[in-house]
Amino acid sequence: MQNPLVLTIGEFAKLTHLSIRTLRRYHDAGLLEPARVDPATGYRYYDAAQIPAAQVIHRLRELDVPLPEVRRILGSPDPEARALLVGEHLRRLEDQLERTRAAVTSLRRLLTPEPGELAVELRRAPATTVAAVEGTVAEPDVLAWYAGAMAELDAVVPAPAGPPGGLYDNELFTHGRGRMLVYLPVTEPPAPAGRVRPVTLPAAELAVATHPGDHDTIDVTYGELGRWVVEHALAVAGPVREVYLSGPRDTADPAAWRTEIGWPVFRVAPA
C-alpha cells in the first residue's frame, strides 16, 4: 500500500500548480529532488512536506531569480541570509522596472509627439567662474558620481549664486565614457577643498531648449534640439551644457522639474 504522504509526480503537480515538465526540470537542475525515484520505472515520488519548497521555488522563478541563485537561497540555513539574497534580487528587479518604465515613456513620446515645435533660443553665455568637480566617468556610473560631486559642492558652497549645472563631453554619449563637470555658481571663487575647484567656464554661443519633467524622456528633447541645430545650419562646438532650473533638490514633484539644455554651436557656411 502506498504511503499516503508520498505523492506521484502527477498528484504533486496538481497540489502545487506546477506542471510535470517543470517538476522534472527542477529535479534535473538539482532544485527539488523527489523523495524517491523508482529504480525500475524511473517514476518520481514526492513527499507532501516538499510542497512549501516547491511553491517557494515557483515564486522565485516567477521573479526571474536565476536557477543558481534559487539554489543558493534554498541552500542557506540562515533566514537572514536568505532574506538578503532575495532582497538583492528584488532591488535589481526594481532597477530594471525603472529602466523599462523610462524606455516606455520615451517611446510613447516618440510615437505620439506633442504638437508644436520645441522652443529654442540662441543665447550667448559669458565666461563664468564656478565651483566645480570634474572627472572621467563611465555612463553607468553617472548618477552615483553626480550625487557624490554635488554633495561635495553643497558642503563647500552653502549659498550658491544660482542653480546647479553640468558640462558633458560628447564621448560620454558616443563611447559610454567621458569627462563630466558639475558646478554651482558662486559670487567669489572658492578655495580648493577635496575635489572642488574654481573653474572658469568659457564664453559660448548656445542653442538652448528647456526639458520639462523628469529625465525619462530627456533623450527626446536632445533629439529635437539636435534636429533644430541641423535645420538651422549650426554645428555643435563643445561639450553640452545642462542647467537644473528645478529638480529633485527643489521639489519632489517630477512634473515641476525643468532642465535647460545648451549646445555650444557655431554657424556653418551654406553648401
Side-chain angles (χ1 to χ4, degrees), residues 32-156:
L32 187 65
E33 299 278 349
R36 182 171 68 86
V37 177
D38 190 298
T41 63
Y43 289 167
R44 298 169 171 88
Y45 296 93
Y46 292 83
D47 193 298
Q50 293 178 285
I51 292 174
Q55 292 172 332
V56 167
I57 296 170
H58 181 53
R59 290 290 181 266
L60 291 172
R61 294 296 290 149
E62 282 186 328
L63 291 173
D64 293 326
V65 178
L67 290 177
E69 204 160 324
V70 173
R71 196 176 295 110
R72 287 178 60 203
I73 292 169
L74 294 176
S76 175
D78 182 2
E80 291 187 6
R82 289 198 298 267
L84 182 62
L85 289 170
V86 173
E88 288 174 353
H89 183 74
L90 291 178
R91 281 190 291 275
R92 288 195 294 271
L93 284 180
E94 288 169 354
D95 291 343
Q96 182 179 347
L97 181 61
E98 181 62 25
R99 290 193 297 271
T100 301
R101 186 186 69 82
V104 169
T105 301
S106 181
L107 184 59
R108 282 176 176 162
R109 183 175 165 189
L110 286 168
L111 294 175
T112 56
E114 297 176 359
E117 280 193 21
L118 181 71
V120 179
E121 171 192 355
L122 283 176
R123 181 190 306 168
R124 178 164 179 79
T128 308
T129 299
V130 297
V133 174
E134 294 183 80
T136 299
V137 186
E139 190 175 8
D141 302 327
V142 164
L143 292 179
W145 187 92
Y146 176 88
M150 288 306 303
E152 289 189 48
L153 287 166
D154 286 336
V156 174

Side-chain angles (χ1 to χ4, degrees), residues 106 109-110 118 120 209 211 217-231 240 261 263:
S106 181
R109 183 175 165 189
L110 286 168
L118 181 71
V120 179
H211 172 75
T217 59
I218 198 168
D219 59 324
V220 181
T221 303
Y222 264 87
E224 292 173 351
L225 179 56
R227 183 177 62 184
W228 187 94
V229 166
V230 171
E231 289 175 350
V240 68
I261 304 169
W263 273 7

Side-chain angles (χ1 to χ4, degrees), residues 187-251:
T187 53
E188 296 291 337
R195 292 188 296 171
V196 178
R197 295 287 186 277
V199 172
T200 298
L201 306 182
E205 294 286 345
L206 302 174
V208 180
T210 299
H211 172 75
D214 61 28
H215 279 198
D216 287 352
T217 59
I218 198 168
D219 59 324
V220 181
T221 303
Y222 264 87
E224 292 173 351
L225 179 56
R227 183 177 62 184
W228 187 94
V229 166
V230 171
E231 289 175 350
H232 289 78
L234 300 170
V236 178
V240 68
R241 303 186 182 196
E242 292 184 359
V243 177
Y244 309 109
L245 304 176
S246 176
R249 293 158 60 89
D250 309 296
T251 173

